[in-house]
Amino acid sequence: MGMSVTISAATDDDAEQILKLQYLCFQPEAELYGDYAIEPLTQSLADLRAELSRSRVLVARLGAEVVGSVRGAVDADGTASLAALIVHPRMQRHGLGRRLLTAIEQQMAVESEAKRYRLLTGHRSEGLMRLYRRCGYAPVGTEQVSRVLSVVTLEKQALPQKYAASA
């Protein structure tokens, strides 16, 4: 009998597994842009633990193994910034990224009264752009960060509160 993937709040005990998964998942991004000094590859365990304490972090588990994660925080104007959506390469293309994104959106809407969701991705990250568009996000801006990297900002409006919990 196979195990199913569950999504739950991350704990400090998950930090090491999240960091290792993050390192694995961001290798192709680093290769795509020719930059192995990107923040997800250089983040320390202490920095990740600090992030866990100040933002909402969800993990997807297959048994005891963390196979996915996403982070979010809502600012004073109700914008939920979502980041670090990662799924283990062997688990990709099975809807887990969408499940994680939906779960963090729902929590941000209910717990923090998010009015809109915002995320960033590199302009060459075609797979992520497709996922985000399928999930209702639309590009709202692009910023040239370096000669080889432009960061695309995508947003979508949150559902009204009375619908968010049942979505």
Side-chain angles (χ1 to χ4, degrees):
M1 182 167 144
M3 288 187 273
S4 62
V5 174
T6 59
I7 296 176
S8 61
T11 68
D12 192 60
D13 292 338
D14 296 320
E16 201 168 323
Q17 282 193 70
I18 293 169
L19 191 63
K20 288 177 181 177
L21 181 61
Q22 175 177 294
Y23 189 82
L24 175 68
C25 291
F26 276 92
Q27 290 293 320
E29 290 293 303
E31 184 177 343
L32 187 61
Y33 296 101
D35 183 0
Y36 289 86
I38 59 176
E39 197 268 338
L41 297 182
T42 60
Q43 185 175 31
S44 70
L45 185 57
D47 287 343
L48 177 59
R49 283 199 164 110
E51 193 173 345
L52 284 170
S53 70
R54 70 176 178 268
S55 62
R56 185 61 150 153
V57 180
L58 298 179
V59 292
R61 296 179 202 283
L62 183 61
E65 180 187 8
V66 172
V67 294
S69 183
V70 65
R71 302 170 203 171
V74 178
D75 65 18
D77 76 349
T79 300
S81 296
L82 308 181
L85 175 63
I86 54 175
V87 174
H88 194 288
R90 77 173 189 278
M91 303 293 292
Q92 291 176 3
R93 308 199 63 75
H94 296 286
L96 187 52
R98 179 186 289 262
R99 284 182 57 201
L100 280 163
L101 199 53
T102 299
I104 195 82
E105 289 171 356
Q106 289 174 347
Q107 288 197 348
M108 295 286 103
V110 172
E111 295 173 6
S112 307
E113 298 184 13
K115 297 174 186 166
R116 77 192 62 74
Y117 307 106
R118 178 179 297 149
L119 45 81
L120 309 172
T121 192
H123 71 286
R124 293 182 188 166
S125 301
E126 295 172 11
L128 286 172
M129 293 284 281
R130 277 192 304 276
L131 170 65
Y132 297 148
R133 285 187 173 119
R134 282 194 312 263
C135 290
Y137 287 82
V140 295
T142 302
E143 178 186 352
Q144 185 80 31
V145 176
S146 70
R147 183 176 53 77
V148 295
L149 172 63
S150 294
V151 173
V152 180
T153 301
L154 298 102
E155 287 186 359
K156 83 174 188 180
Q157 295 302 306
L159 293 173
Q161 276 295 287
K162 63 182 179 180
Y163 301 113
S166 64

